[in-house]
Amino acid sequence: MADNETATFVLIHGGGSTGWDWHLVAPVLRGLGHEVVAVDLPLEDPANGVSEYADAVIEACGDRTNLVVVAHSWGGLVAPIVSSRIATELLVFVTAMVPLPGEAPNDWWSASGFSDLEASDPEVDAFYNGVPAELVEECNRRGREQTGERDGEPTPLKAWPDVPTRFLLCRDDRFFPPAFMRGMVRERLGIEPDEIDGGHMIALANPRELAERLHRYWTELPR
């Protein structure tokens, strides 16, 4: 662990979205003395898969150090690839998908047990509960088409990176229900998840507490 108390938080958004998802979290982290990198994954290009998404994140990091890689939702499939390719001090999943080495993104849904869950009520907003209406509108406006043409290919992740890892689940998540996520995290990461109040889009619903949790994870690392 570097002696420098300042981290660079590398924030990876979820599927079909943009780095804007983190725009309320980023200034809080900066106010706590950290740098922030929130890249737009190159989702629209059908030639790209999770490996190219990871490369885009790495390119955006440049020569920054003390990296804390943070992934939300579908971004969890990208984060461990990033951490396997560049020096990372901490890996944090925020209500995110956790892949197994060699597992294709398309296979996660059934292999994790998510496909066996009862379908949610179509009248219930699975993503945006707790998010102000104006932010929901803006997030939808900024949403992008993710082709997913290469999501049937095995991930290039050959082994789990040797990086301290935390998982933060959202108690009010209607898309990835807490009970399902607790089991998935224990099975795939072998750790107990931490918990926070809020729905799936926690970076928009509860950004300050999320940022403060991320900061605390950094300060709790052994020096």
Side-chain angles (χ1 to χ4, degrees), residues 165-167 182 185-194:
T165 302
R166 305 291 292 262
F167 193 103
R182 292 183 189 107
V185 172
R186 290 167 186 150
E187 178 180 345
R188 294 192 165 216
L189 290 177
I191 63 175
E192 289 296 320
D194 301 313

Side-chain angles (χ1 to χ4, degrees), residues 8-12 57 61 66-71 75 78-80 82-83 86-93:
T8 296
F9 282 88
V10 184
L11 308 178
I12 303 175
V57 174
C61 291
N66 289 350
L67 302 183
V68 178
V69 176
V70 182
V78 179
V82 173
S83 294
I86 57 174
T88 303
E89 301 292 343
L90 178 65
L91 179 57
V92 183
F93 292 85

Side-chain angles (χ1 to χ4, degrees), residues 21-145:
D21 288 0
W22 301 100
H23 79 285
L24 298 177
V25 173
V28 181
L29 289 172
R30 292 189 180 105
L32 292 167
H34 304 296
E35 287 193 72
V36 176
V37 174
V39 64
D40 290 348
L41 301 178
L43 304 175
E44 297 100 333
D45 187 342
N48 293 333
V50 288
S51 185
E52 289 74 22
Y53 300 162
D55 286 342
V57 174
I58 292 167
E59 181 179 1
C61 291
D63 60 358
R64 295 175 177 88
T65 59
N66 289 350
L67 302 183
V68 178
V69 176
V70 182
H72 174 248
S73 197
W74 200 94
L77 303 182
V78 179
I81 303 173
V82 173
S83 294
S84 71
R85 293 178 179 175
I86 57 174
T88 303
E89 301 292 343
L90 178 65
L91 179 57
V92 183
F93 292 85
V94 178
T95 191
M97 298 159 69
V98 178
L100 296 176
E103 182 177 72
N106 282 347
D107 292 340
W108 182 90
W109 306 97
S110 58
S112 68
F114 180 85
S115 298
D116 298 328
L117 298 178
E118 292 186 12
S120 60
D121 185 341
E123 298 301 318
V124 174
D125 190 334
F127 289 96
Y128 292 113
N129 55 307
V131 178
E134 63 273 15
L135 292 178
V136 174
E137 182 179 354
E138 182 66 12
C139 192
N140 283 325
R141 188 186 71 78
R142 291 173 176 269
R144 298 177 295 153
E145 181 180 358

Side-chain angles (χ1 to χ4, degrees), residues 186-206:
R186 290 167 186 150
E187 178 180 345
R188 294 192 165 216
L189 290 177
I191 63 175
E192 289 296 320
D194 301 313
E195 303 190 10
I196 189 173
D197 290 334
H200 189 70
M201 298 298 287
I202 187 68
L204 298 177
N206 197 357

